[in-house]
DNA sequence: GTATGGATTGTC
DNA sequence: ACAATCCATACT
C-alpha cells in the first residue's frame, strides 16, 4: 500500500474528507497492529464553522493542534468518556480537521473485540461485529486511540493512511451528526460516507438531510 | 474557584 | 428517552 504524503492533507478539508473514504488507516503498536478502511468522515473548518472547536479561529490549548501542520492527529475527549480522532488538514496556521466517524476492520479485529467488549472475537455476536467501529468513539476504543495520541504525526511509519486497492463506491453526502448547537452550520453538508457500508454510524439521515 | 455542557454511547 | 462522566472553557 502506498502511504499518503503530508501534501495530501494540506488541501481543502471537504475534498480531503471525501478522498479519505476507502483509504486505509494503519496503526502499528509494539504488541499489535491494526488496519481499518475509512468509511465515514466529517469536515470541520474553524474559520467559518460554528460546529468546530476552533470556530472563529479560537486558539486554546485544546484547539492548538488544529492550527498546526497538516497530517497530524487531533484527539479530544467527548462527554467525559470517549475519544474522537481527527486528521488535521489545510496549511499550517489554518484550523481545520476531518473527523473519522466510521471504519471497517481489515486487520487486528481480534484485538479490537478485546478492546471494545473485553471478549474474544469468537464470543461476540455477528451483530456486535458491526458495532466494533461504527462510530467515532467506538473506533478510538477499538484501536486503543487516546488523548495520548493527540498531536501525533500521521505521516510516520507506525501511524499512517494509505491508498488501498481501487474500489468502486458511491459517496453519500449529509448534514453532520450531533451539532444541534451550531446554528447555521447545522445544515452544512459536510458529512460523507460510503453508501451501503455496514460500518457507517447507525444514525441514518432524516428526511431532508440528504443532499 | 465555580459553573456549564459537549463533533457519544449504551441502556431503559 | 436519558444517564454516564470529566475535562475544557468561560465565567467570578
Amino acid at each position: 500500500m502506498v502511504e499518503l504524503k503530508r501534501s495530501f492533507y494540506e488541501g481543502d478539508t471537504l475534498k480531503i474528507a471525501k478522498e479519505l473514504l476507502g483509504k486505509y488507516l494503519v496503526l502499528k503498536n509494539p504488541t499489535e497492529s491494526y488496519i481499518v478502511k475509512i468509511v465515514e468522515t466529517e469536515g470541520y473548518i474553524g474559520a467559518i464553522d460554528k460546529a468546530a472547536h476552533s470556530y472563529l479561529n479560537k486558539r486554546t490549548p485544546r484547539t492548538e493542534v488544529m492550527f498546526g501542520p497538516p497530517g497530524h492527529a487531533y484527539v479530544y475527549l467527548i462527554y467525559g468518556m470517549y475519544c474522537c480522532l481527527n486528521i488535521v488538514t489545510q496549511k499550517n496556521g489554518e484550523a481545520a480537521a476531518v473527523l473519522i466517524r466510521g471504519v471497517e476492520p481489515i486487520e487486528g479485529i481480534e484485538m479490537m473485540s478485546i478492546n471494545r467488549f473485553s471478549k474474544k472475537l469468537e464470543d461476540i455476536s455477528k451483530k456486535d461485529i458491526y458495532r466494533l467501529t461504527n462510530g467515532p468513539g467506538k473506533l478510538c476504543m477499538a484501536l486503543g486511540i487516546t488523548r495520548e495520541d493527540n498531536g501525533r504525526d500521521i505521516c510516520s511509519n507506525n501511524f499512517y493512511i494509505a491508498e488501498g486497492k481501487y474500489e468502486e463506491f458511491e459517496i453519500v453526502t449529509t448534514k453532520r451528526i450531533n451539532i444541534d448547537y451550531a446554528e447555521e452550520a447545522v445544515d452544512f453538508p459536510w458529512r460523507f460516507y460510503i453508501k451501503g457500508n455496514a460500518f457507517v454510524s447507525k444514525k441514518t439521515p432524516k428526511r431532508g438531510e440528504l443532499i
Side-chain angles (χ1 to χ4, degrees), chain A residues 118-171:
Chain A
S118 301
K119 286 182 180 178
K120 293 182 181 175
L121 182 62
E122 64 212 54
D123 294 331
I124 68 174
S125 69
K126 186 154 190 177
K127 220 172 179 184
D128 280 340
I129 289 178
Y130 296 105
R131 295 188 187 128
L132 283 169
T133 54
N134 64 331
K138 298 177 192 179
L139 70 91
C140 282
M141 195 183 301
L143 300 179
I145 291 171
T146 68
R147 280 172 298 163
E148 306 252 310
D149 296 302
N150 189 39
R152 192 168 163 189
D153 191 354
I154 205 160
C155 303
S156 67
N157 53 14
N158 52 15
F159 193 34
Y160 61 90
I161 298 174
E163 181 90 53
K165 64 180 192 305
Y166 176 77
E167 201 182 340
E168 190 91 23
F169 54 78
E170 203 172 317
I171 296 177

Side-chain angles (χ1 to χ4, degrees), chain A residues 45-46 48-53 55-56 176 181-185 188:
Chain A
I45 305 176
I48 57 168
D49 179 9
K50 205 164 271 187
H53 296 149
Y55 178 52
L56 295 181
R176 291 171 293 176
Y181 55 89
E183 299 178 23
E184 79 281 352
F188 293 179

Side-chain angles (χ1 to χ4, degrees), chain A residues 7 19 25 36 39 74 115 117 123 188:
Chain A
S7 56
E19 288 177 349
L25 174 65
V36 294
V39 302
Y74 169 45
N115 292 345
F117 303 125
D123 294 331
F188 293 179

